[in-house]
Amino acid sequence: MKNIQKDFEKKGYTIVKPEKKILNEIREIIYSSIKKKIDSKYKNKDIDNFFNKFHEFAKSKDLNEIRFSTYNLINKSKKFQNLYYQAAKPFLNILVGNELAMQKKINLSIQMPKDKDSLLDMHSDAYAGESPFQVVVWIPLVNVFSSKGMFFTTPQTSKKINNEVLNNDKYNVKQLYIKNKKKFWFVKANFGEIIIFSPLILHGNKVNLTNETRFSLNCRFKSLLSPYDVLKKSHRNIPNFYRPLDIKPLTKIGFNYLKTLQNKVI
Ligand SMILES: [Fe+2]
């Protein structure tokens, strides 16, 4: 087994294999939710095929409604959120800690071949004010490769470009991407694996030029007590963006004590 910590420190991301049963359950919930919405003659019971060939039988005008209703379903379900956490937990404990905060909303991406509407230019999530202390847990529901997936670069290139974006106005983000294009590559991962990455590693996606649709989920985790609004004041904190998980007794005792003191002062 590879050393996850070393791998992550070297690359800024790692690809790991959680318990397959959990990922199957996650995928099954999404499959049955979407299948109910599809008004088509789709009879094949193969889930891989259902997702990969989704663009062949789903109408693109229904895509937003399908995405939205599935997003609502998974985010109302405590069971789904817990499955997501359980899939990533052993790896988060190694990379982040064992007292965690989880993003309140799990995102679902559906990227059909040639779709120009769901593109994400090269970015770091920190550009939008997200915490550099968080990781993104990215779960592909199908095998991803080349433009069906997302692109990454090295921590060294990310550092260099982040530095130019934050401290230099000479080029905008798009120009910096074009200048450094050769230093980016598409990540390859199969269903059964998850990608955990630091949002400081520059990433994005392009038009999907394969003949398969990508379905993937993403959700952010961080150490409960690490800083939230580091770069600018944002809503990316508890209770707006994150919820606490597994609060340890001493953290509760400490915060309760601080609350008592605060009440006294007021
Ligand atoms: Fe991102």
Side-chain angles (χ1 to χ4, degrees):
M1 201 176 128
K2 71 177 169 194
N3 183 322
I4 292 165
Q5 192 170 330
K6 274 197 181 145
D7 191 50
F8 188 90
E9 277 174 358
K10 193 173 152 209
K11 300 189 311 199
Y13 74 91
T14 187
I15 300 177
V16 290
K17 275 190 184 171
E19 216 183 300
K20 186 75 185 271
K21 201 174 131 252
I22 305 178
L23 291 184
N24 283 337
E25 222 177 313
I26 284 175
R27 190 161 84 149
E28 185 72 43
I29 292 170
I30 292 182
Y31 169 69
S32 32
S33 156
I34 296 180
K35 199 158 187 294
K36 269 188 237 148
K37 302 258 165 209
I38 296 287
D39 172 30
S40 87
K41 296 180 183 67
Y42 187 82
K43 290 283 179 286
N44 192 331
K45 288 222 163 52
D46 184 280
I47 302 186
D48 272 318
N49 193 72
F50 176 82
F51 286 134
N52 279 324
K53 295 297 168 196
F54 189 67
H55 55 282
E56 290 180 3
F57 52 84
K59 298 180 187 89
S60 51
K61 71 173 176 49
D62 297 336
L63 191 61
N64 267 342
E65 152 61 16
I66 289 167
R67 193 184 349 234
F68 192 63
S69 58
T70 309
Y71 172 86
N72 283 336
L73 176 102
I74 61 178
N75 284 303
K76 266 189 216 139
S77 163
K78 286 244 161 12
K79 182 188 163 192
F80 193 88
Q81 308 229 336
N82 190 45
L83 283 170
Y84 206 102
Y85 174 40
Q86 292 307 324
K89 191 176 176 180
F91 314 106
L92 294 173
N93 287 354
I94 296 170
L95 298 170
V96 186
N98 63 3
E99 194 177 35
L100 298 166
M102 177 179 182
Q103 187 180 354
K104 286 169 84 178
K105 301 287 184 193
I106 296 168
N107 298 304
L108 168 69
S109 304
I110 304 172
Q111 204 191 0
M112 288 183 171
K114 299 192 182 76
D115 174 13
K116 290 194 179 77
D117 295 329
S118 47
L119 299 185
L120 270 175
D121 285 340
M122 175 198 84
H123 68 284
S124 155
D125 296 1
Y127 297 167
E130 295 189 17
S131 174
F133 294 88
Q134 73 188 17
V135 288
V136 182
V137 173
W138 200 88
I139 305 187
L141 300 177
V142 283
N143 297 351
V144 296
F145 54 92
S146 90
S147 55
K148 187 184 174 192
M150 62 177 157
F151 58 75
F152 274 134
T153 186
T154 61
Q156 292 74 17
T157 303
S158 298
K159 198 176 170 190
K160 213 181 103 205
I161 299 179
N162 284 336
N163 192 33
E164 291 208 45
V165 171
L166 301 170
N167 303 316
N168 194 342
D169 292 338
K170 204 169 163 201
Y171 300 106
N172 63 31
V173 176
K174 235 187 180 123
Q175 290 165 328
L176 284 168
Y177 173 67
I178 293 165
K179 255 181 83 185
N180 291 280
K181 217 170 160 183
K182 285 196 182 115
K183 292 174 186 148
F184 289 81
W185 66 89
F186 285 107
V187 75
K188 189 178 175 308
N190 289 333
F191 172 66
E193 297 177 316
I194 61 178
I195 304 174
I196 303 180
F197 65 97
S198 157
L200 300 184
I201 295 297
L202 293 166
H203 57 282
N205 67 0
K206 287 190 185 172
V207 176
N208 177 359
L209 295 177
T210 72
N211 58 4
E212 293 178 348
T213 296
R214 163 166 55 99
F215 278 76
S216 61
L217 300 162
N218 69 75
C219 184
R220 285 141 185 80
F221 291 84
K222 66 191 284 301
S223 168
L224 180 69
L225 298 178
S226 65
Y228 288 81
D229 295 323
V230 192
L231 301 159
K232 53 183 167 190
K233 268 271 158 268
S234 73
H235 68 290
R236 291 183 167 90
N237 47 32
I238 296 174
N240 298 308
F241 190 75
Y242 279 107
R243 67 187 171 89
L245 295 171
D246 293 343
I247 310 179
K248 300 290 179 202
L250 253 304
T251 304
K252 284 184 201 162
I253 290 171
F255 275 112
N256 280 333
Y257 180 68
L258 290 181
K259 225 162 121 189
T260 321
L261 288 181
Q262 257 170 12
N263 288 343
K264 242 184 169 178
V265 172
I266 290 161

